[in-house]
Amino acid sequence: DDTGNKRRTKYWTRIAANSNGDFIITWRDSRTNSNNDIFAQRFDNNGVAQGPNFLVNDDGGTNTHSTPDVAMDNARNAVVSWYDDRNGNYDVFAQKYDATGLPQGGNFLISDDAGSANQYLTTITMDPEGNFVIAWYDERNSDDSTGDIYARRYDGTGLPIDSSFPVNDEFGSNDHYWPQIAGASNGDFVISWHDARNGNWDIYAQRYNNAGIAQGANFIAN
């Protein structure tokens, strides 16, 4: 709903819907901050906007916010994830919303490493009961030339079920990049990414059950 200035850029859109057809769209937006903020818009199952666009990140200032993703459960609760540099390095943050679109608490930190490594490129899935899993690209074990895929599980109240865990089972000097996640209605989930362990970029994936237990090893998809 920001049409007053065509020079304001909006991009990196992601969308989530529930089984009822309600949906939410999120994106990166420069209308209030040249370094970009995260905005979102809710819609009902007739495509009618539920209120106006709303700002997701709550840190203010001129920090960079990017690569948002979003998930919604059957009760219309939603979670938006993204990365930003409010702490001086890139960290993964999220914000939970109730069925009416009201924020539940403030932005909360997802990445849990104790250092100053960068984490970014977030992806999220949510089951029908509101439990969710967020995955991202993480440099905690390396310099800025390589990284790993990490993930973390949360219950429907937004509390972490466990600490973050590595997804790729090959470590070293090879890069693992750009994860995507998808979940089943029973809470099982799969994470995919592109991976340089074979000397070129291949597509790998890892299956998990709804208790977060890996089902077998990483497998190549291409």
Side-chain angles (χ1 to χ4, degrees):
D1 63 4
D2 172 44
T3 58
N5 188 337
K6 299 300 183 183
R7 292 185 178 180
R8 295 168 179 163
T9 57
K10 294 99 178 155
Y11 55 100
W12 198 280
T13 103
R14 293 294 183 269
I15 187 170
N18 62 18
S19 61
N20 303 315
D22 307 304
F23 61 98
I24 182 171
I25 300 173
T26 187
W27 64 92
R28 185 180 179 185
D29 194 307
S30 69
R31 73 181 71 176
T32 58
N33 173 7
S34 62
N35 287 340
N36 295 285
D37 291 305
I38 307 303
F39 274 77
Q41 175 67 57
R42 297 169 61 249
F43 295 85
D44 68 14
N45 56 12
N46 293 311
V48 178
Q50 305 296 288
N53 297 172
F54 56 92
L55 179 65
V56 176
N57 53 281
D58 61 11
D59 57 312
T62 58
N63 300 316
T64 295
H65 314 82
S66 193
T67 67
D69 201 4
V70 62
M72 175 184 279
D73 68 15
N74 282 346
R76 301 181 70 191
N77 301 299
V79 178
V80 179
S81 66
W82 69 95
Y83 76 83
D84 71 43
D85 62 354
R86 71 182 70 182
N87 295 327
N89 56 286
Y90 290 138
D91 288 311
V92 176
F93 283 84
Q95 176 64 55
K96 191 172 185 295
Y97 293 90
D98 70 12
T100 68
L102 291 176
Q104 303 300 286
N107 297 172
F108 55 98
L109 181 65
I110 302 296
S111 44
D112 58 357
D113 70 306
S116 59
N118 291 316
Q119 291 89 28
Y120 46 99
L121 300 175
T122 78
T123 180
I124 183 171
T125 189
M126 179 180 283
D127 69 21
E129 284 69 51
N131 306 299
F132 59 97
V133 186
I134 298 176
W136 63 89
Y137 175 78
D138 195 305
E139 294 175 349
R140 72 179 69 184
N141 299 319
S142 62
D143 59 26
D144 61 4
S145 63
T146 62
D148 298 301
I149 308 302
Y150 272 74
R152 196 172 190 186
R153 299 187 304 136
Y154 286 79
D155 67 21
T157 69
L159 292 176
I161 296 173
D162 46 28
S163 300
S164 63
F165 55 91
V167 176
N168 49 282
D169 59 14
E170 180 273 338
F171 295 92
S173 60
N174 299 312
D175 206 6
H176 316 84
Y177 199 64
W178 215 292
Q180 288 292 298
I181 191 169
S185 60
N186 67 350
D188 295 352
F189 59 98
V190 181
I191 299 172
S192 65
W193 65 96
H194 60 264
D195 190 304
R197 71 180 71 182
N198 299 322
N200 57 285
W201 288 114
D202 287 308
I203 307 303
Y204 274 78
Q206 177 65 56
R207 298 173 56 245
Y208 294 88
N209 66 15
N210 57 14
I213 298 172
Q215 305 298 286
N218 296 174
F219 60 94
I220 190 168
N222 55 282

